[in-house]
Amino acid sequence: DLDQAINATDRAVKLTPEGHPDMPNRLSNLGNCFGLRSQNECKCKLEDSIKQLNGAANRAVEVTPRGYSDMPNKPGNFESRSNLHSRNECPDRLGDLKQAIDAADRAVKLTPEGHPDMPGRLGNLGDFLSLRFEYLGKLEDLDHAIDITNRAVNLTPDGHPDRSATLFNLGNHHRKRYRHLREPEDVQHCANIFSLVVGQPFGPPSIRLEAARSYALAGWLGLGDGSIGIDQFLSVYEQALPLIPQAAWLGNSVSQRYDRLVQHGEIANNAAFAAVLAKDLPRAVEWLDQGRGVVWGQLLQLHNPIHDLHQHHPDLAEKLRSVANALESSGNLAGSASAILMPVDSATGTPHTPVRDEPSARIKLAHRYEELLIQIRTLDGFDGFLKPKTFSELRSACVDGPIILINVVKNLTFTVALVVLHSSDRIVPVFLPELSYEGAEQMRSMLLISLQKISVRRRQTAERGVFIDPVPRHPLFDVLGALWSIVVSPILQAIEAELSRAPGKTLPHVTWCTTGPLSFLPIHAAGIYDSPDPRDKIFNRVVSSYTPTISSLLRPHTEKQPTSSASPTSKKILIVSQPDTPGHGPLPSTLQEAANVKKQFSDGETTHLNHADATFDAVMREMRDHHFPFIHLACHGMQDPEDPRKSAFALYRGKLHLSDIMSHSVAGAELAFLSACQTAKGDAKLPEESVHLAAGMLTAGYKAVIGTMWSIIDEDAPLVADGVYRRLIGGQCGSTGWAGEKMEAAYALHEAVKELREEVGEVNFARWVPFVHFGS
């Protein structure tokens, strides 16, 4: 294809008379075609060589003793890679690149001064020269690229959308020169230029966010040598954080938003770490919460009742609700052949007739939603309406004990955890010198290998039942031991005095909010399992819960009461069991599980849909007509990482999608018990988004969710369910019983898992570790 493109554009150039006004454009096209081919010729050979080089460098690091002064450093790889480019003989590639440069240079020379296309043509030439520097390592190419790209920037007016991209390229050229010469001056140029890109109000959010990522790479170097101040760091991130939801814009489908977040997910982690360095811990907590669970946060905004606005401005509230409902429907079904939305009148907010979902219609809805938010925020008392939470608001979620945020940041050799205390306004920073992003990733890999070694395997896709082969020494020993030694133990020691003041329970309660690869690790099971000291295991020290964000623990301070006779304090439960779902493997233990749950409730408090009775229509009818504070789903579960709201539970006919559950708000919703496989597993590509069913049920309105990190044994689920509800409903979980403290579900699960652990053996980790509690 490239060869044909080059032949066609080359012929177009040759057929164009000298002096023709279209000649520069055609030369520019020809240059771009040659540039593309230069990047693809011999690519496999070059990439294989680079892979071998990096492998050798990594091996050198592994075999070098810790603390040895000649430890190979990462920056050295850049020089080696550059040299490799020049040694790698690709005559076709370099020939193409020369022709690309010649064509781009001639296009520039033929373009009159003041012509609006001049900046773009200069930028093309600069990019090709910079690329040739990568292959040959000739500094004059890079210097020339910097000069002409600088010229392109100067010729691009302020406010022009292309200015951001041109500035970004200029910053990259300076970064290449720094790698080659190691001059601090280039680091300063990089940081200043990327900072300018972030601050360009008319630049595309994606480019501005990419500049924020690049700024971090240059900024850490400048921070180390004193050429860049921490205040500049904070200023850049102050501008960058609001761009994340803009990149993952409501006008895009959910899957498109997740694609954007894959690219920009770690910006909030870097921002929070910069705030820690500046000793601004409240801002670090705010930024970390703001940058996590972005799509869930958007869905929560669309889904939550807007009670205060209804009380004071009912017309505006109804308009916003109509647009939000249409957006929620559109975002959920986007990409489906049957997708529909409810567009609304731009002036009144009144829904029109349903139409086929189209991107243009969704974009109009998103614009209307933003217009309404701007209008609402001008009202007295609503200036912070649906904005990111302040630290004082987030801190109010700590009523059940400390919330522990662990922010692992790429390219750092240590981590700082932030403990938000419930007894004061203090935030306790805890230095974790042995925990790095790479170390957390290694532990995650060890966990996956461990599960493979013990043959945690499902009988078929979306199966909750598994077989487990016994092993002499469980491979999870090392993972859980490392988690205890380098993560959990230092944190518990730092807040020991605080934990000792926890009222009312035998054990204090903590909530873990983790980032990066740590989000996939069972912190609640950390411990040294061959230690004689029982305090070397986390479950003997604290009761653990998880949360995707602190914001998800907050609830509207005034909730609309349900219209049915059920009250938020009722004990009604909907039980769905599927012992033999068509198209799925049998789960016979779900019958015993349902029986164990039902016996803890009084007559008239349970609605049980089993087997063929548990159809989609039947389940939705019950959820619509009755407000069940409790829902127990004992069936197959399946996750959709592309659009988490399409994640579902398999019913006898059809699937119960998360979006279906979210479509019916349940006032006073207490607990969702997801007795299915991997309902809290998440997606490794999006560790900051918590793309799993448990987080989704929190977004749907449930205060507490019990889920599983990996596949469970079918016969274990009834034991855990019995233990949970016996304590939760039967009043065995403290003196106050089920209607007492908010954290009863966490304590009930803690004790139920303890019973399972004692029955199957403490080191039979695959049986008891997967059960987890989310929420409050």
Side-chain angles (χ1 to χ4, degrees):
D1 288 337
L2 278 171
D3 288 341
Q4 291 184 54
I6 287 171
N7 289 337
T9 50
D10 183 53
R11 188 174 172 213
V13 167
K14 289 174 179 174
L15 289 172
T16 304
E18 287 298 328
H20 194 283
D22 287 341
M23 177 63 89
N25 270 338
R26 291 170 186 171
L27 282 167
S28 184
N29 289 340
L30 179 61
N32 285 331
C33 289
F34 276 120
L36 278 172
R37 194 167 73 176
S38 76
Q39 295 178 62
N40 286 277
E41 289 286 346
C42 308
K43 189 174 182 179
C44 295
K45 179 180 177 183
L46 179 63
E47 289 185 349
D48 184 60
S49 299
I50 291 172
K51 185 177 179 181
Q52 291 179 31
L53 170 71
N54 288 338
N58 291 337
R59 178 62 181 153
V61 171
E62 292 170 3
V63 300
T64 304
R66 290 184 64 181
Y68 187 60
S69 60
D70 286 341
M71 168 72 79
N73 55 24
K74 265 190 175 179
N77 285 348
F78 292 121
E79 280 92 344
S80 300
R81 185 168 173 170
S82 180
N83 293 336
L84 180 62
H85 276 297
S86 62
R87 291 198 306 270
N88 193 70
E89 295 182 4
C90 290
D92 291 340
R93 168 179 274 199
L94 291 171
D96 284 335
L97 195 48
K98 182 181 184 305
Q99 293 186 68
I101 291 170
D102 290 344
D105 185 53
R106 190 174 167 211
V108 166
K109 290 173 180 174
L110 289 173
T111 304
E113 288 297 327
H115 194 283
D117 289 342
M118 178 63 90
R121 291 167 186 168
L122 285 167
N124 276 347
L125 178 56
D127 289 344
F128 295 146
L129 288 166
S130 178
L131 185 60
R132 189 166 69 181
F133 164 77
E134 289 189 31
Y135 300 149
L136 299 179
K138 292 183 177 180
L139 193 58
E140 56 265 32
D141 278 339
L142 192 54
D143 289 340
H144 192 190
I146 289 172
D147 290 341
I148 63 173
T149 308
N150 231 330
R151 186 181 164 205
V153 169
N154 292 332
L155 290 173
T156 306
D158 284 333
H160 194 284
D162 289 345
R163 185 175 174 84
S164 296
T166 311
L167 271 169
F168 182 76
N169 289 340
L170 179 60
N172 277 331
H173 300 336
H174 277 288
R175 184 163 59 184
K176 288 180 185 179
R177 193 162 70 179
Y178 170 76
R179 290 170 177 172
H180 189 76
L181 296 178
R182 289 291 187 271
E183 294 288 344
E185 177 183 332
D186 281 311
V187 170
Q188 290 177 300
H189 282 308
C190 281
N192 292 335
I193 291 167
F194 290 136
S195 174
L196 281 174
V197 176
V198 174
Q200 292 287 303
F202 299 102
S206 57
I207 291 178
R208 295 169 69 190
L209 281 169
E210 187 60 36
R213 290 178 63 197
S214 300
Y215 174 85
L217 296 174
W220 294 130
L221 294 169
L223 201 63
D225 64 20
S227 60
I228 294 174
I230 190 64
D231 289 343
Q232 185 182 6
F233 254 85
L234 299 186
S235 175
V236 168
Y237 286 125
E238 190 81 58
Q239 299 173 80
L241 265 294
L243 296 173
I244 297 177
Q246 290 183 38
W249 183 52
L250 282 168
N252 295 325
S253 68
V254 172
S255 59
Q256 288 171 327
R257 283 180 258 168
Y258 276 130
D259 286 342
R260 297 288 178 86
L261 290 169
V262 169
Q263 305 168 38
H264 308 302
E266 75 272 15
I267 289 175
N269 304 71
N270 280 292
F273 184 75
V276 169
L277 290 182
K279 298 182 180 179
D280 190 345
L281 302 186
R283 183 181 287 191
V285 171
E286 291 172 356
W287 281 354
L288 203 54
D289 197 76
Q290 186 178 342
R292 287 180 52 75
V294 172
V295 174
W296 281 132
Q298 292 170 337
L299 300 180
L300 197 62
Q301 287 184 359
L302 294 176
H303 177 260
N304 269 353
I306 314 166
H307 188 269
D308 286 351
L309 189 64
H310 262 290
Q311 283 189 323
H312 297 91
H313 306 279
D315 292 343
L316 265 181
E318 284 304 320
K319 289 179 184 179
L320 187 67
R321 188 188 299 279
S322 296
V323 177
N325 288 343
L327 266 172
E328 187 170 11
S329 172
S330 169
N332 172 46
L333 298 172
S336 166
S338 60
I340 61 170
L341 57 84
M342 295 288 288
V344 292
D345 185 271
S346 60
T348 66
T350 305
H352 290 314
T353 306
V355 298
R356 203 59 78 168
D357 176 33
E358 297 177 356
S360 59
R362 191 168 63 247
I363 288 169
K364 289 178 182 177
L365 282 170
H367 280 304
R368 180 57 180 151
Y369 182 77
E370 290 166 356
E371 289 169 1
L372 286 169
L373 285 182
I374 292 170
Q375 183 180 354
I376 291 166
R377 288 168 182 166
T378 63
L379 302 174
D380 187 35
F382 288 89
D383 55 318
F385 185 75
L386 294 184
K387 285 185 176 179
K389 303 297 182 185
T390 63
F391 174 70
S392 61
E393 293 173 301
L394 295 172
R395 193 202 154 274
S396 66
C398 296
V399 293
D400 302 309
I403 298 177
I404 303 168
L405 299 98
I406 310 179
N407 181 28
V408 286
V409 181
K410 286 183 179 178
N411 301 317
L412 292 181
T413 59
F414 63 94
T415 294
V416 179
L418 300 174
V419 184
V420 184
L421 302 180
H422 69 300
S423 61
S424 70
D425 289 333
R426 282 197 312 131
I427 301 170
V428 178
V430 183
F431 184 65
L432 303 175
E434 296 185 73
L435 178 63
S436 65
Y437 188 98
E438 290 72 18
E441 182 59 50
Q442 187 177 26
M443 283 191 282
R444 189 184 76 87
S445 298
M446 288 171 62
L447 173 67
L448 295 176
I449 293 170
S450 297
L451 294 177
Q452 292 169 0
K453 282 185 177 178
I454 59 175
S455 302
V456 177
R457 57 182 183 271
R458 290 172 287 176
R459 290 195 289 259
Q460 79 177 57
T461 302
E463 178 67 64
R464 88 170 185 178
V466 296
F467 297 106
I468 297 180
D469 296 337
V471 291
R473 173 183 167 90
H474 203 293
L476 275 176
F477 257 105
D478 296 331
V479 176
L480 299 178
L483 278 174
W484 173 262
S485 299
I486 68 177
V487 181
V488 174
S489 180
I491 293 173
L492 296 187
Q493 286 179 28
I495 59 172
E496 192 164 10
E498 175 73 17
L499 295 176
S500 66
R501 292 195 292 267
K505 295 292 181 184
T506 303
L507 293 177
H509 176 266
V510 300
T511 300
W512 301 95
C513 184
T514 54
T515 66
L518 214 60
S519 302
F520 304 95
L521 292 169
I523 292 178
H524 66 285
I528 308 295
Y529 284 87
D530 51 5
S531 169
D533 187 351
R535 288 178 58 81
D536 284 341
K537 296 164 189 142
I538 187 174
F539 52 75
N540 291 325
R541 303 275 292 274
V542 294
V543 173
S544 292
S545 296
Y546 294 93
T547 186
T549 63
I550 301 180
S551 298
S552 62
L553 298 176
L554 299 171
R555 293 284 174 252
H557 62 272
T558 309
E559 290 188 334
K560 197 172 181 179
Q561 294 297 315
T563 54
S564 75
S565 59
S567 69
T569 56
S570 83
K571 290 192 289 181
K572 289 189 174 182
I573 186 170
L574 173 63
I575 305 168
V576 176
S577 54
Q578 283 292 295
D580 196 11
T581 312
H584 297 272
L587 299 174
S589 294
T590 57
L591 292 174
Q592 182 60 51
E593 184 175 345
N596 289 352
V597 176
K598 289 168 67 176
K599 70 183 180 183
Q600 301 300 332
F601 291 81
S602 303
D603 292 341
E605 292 180 336
T606 62
T607 298
H608 181 201
L609 299 177
N610 179 58
H611 194 48
D613 292 333
T615 63
F616 173 81
D617 290 338
V619 172
M620 289 303 297
R621 183 170 57 252
E622 290 294 337
M623 294 186 70
R624 182 178 62 249
D625 295 343
H626 304 89
H627 291 266
F628 294 98
F630 299 88
I631 184 171
H632 188 98
L633 299 168
C635 51
H636 297 285
M638 54 213 71
Q639 292 199 179
D640 187 331
E642 298 298 322
D643 184 347
R645 294 192 305 173
K646 293 180 183 176
S647 299
F649 301 94
L651 302 177
Y652 191 77
R653 285 199 301 274
K655 296 176 182 177
L656 179 65
H657 290 94
L658 185 57
S659 58
D660 300 318
I661 297 172
M662 293 177 70
S663 67
H664 295 282
S665 299
V666 182
E670 294 290 333
L671 172 67
F673 196 130
L674 312 182
S675 190
C677 262
Q678 303 180 12
T679 51
K681 180 184 177 184
D683 181 5
K685 293 182 297 184
L686 289 160
E688 313 310 334
E689 286 298 300
S690 299
V691 184
H692 51 66
L693 284 161
M697 294 300 278
L698 288 177
T699 305
Y702 288 89
K703 294 176 182 175
V705 181
I706 292 174
T708 58
M709 294 188 77
W710 59 72
S711 301
I712 57 175
I713 287 186
D714 190 33
E715 56 265 31
D716 286 346
L719 297 174
V720 174
D722 178 70
V724 167
Y725 289 103
R726 180 163 24 95
R727 291 169 173 83
L728 198 61
I729 306 301
Q732 296 183 22
C733 192
S735 59
T736 54
W738 77 275
E741 298 178 27
K742 288 171 62 180
M743 290 312 306
E744 292 290 357
Y747 283 90
L749 179 65
H750 184 87
E751 293 299 318
V753 170
K754 178 181 178 182
E755 287 182 350
L756 177 63
R757 187 166 57 240
E758 290 172 348
E759 177 169 324
V760 302
E762 193 175 71
V763 297
N764 199 346
F765 302 117
R767 299 282 293 273
W768 62 268
V769 171
F771 294 96
V772 289
H773 174 269
F774 275 78
S776 60

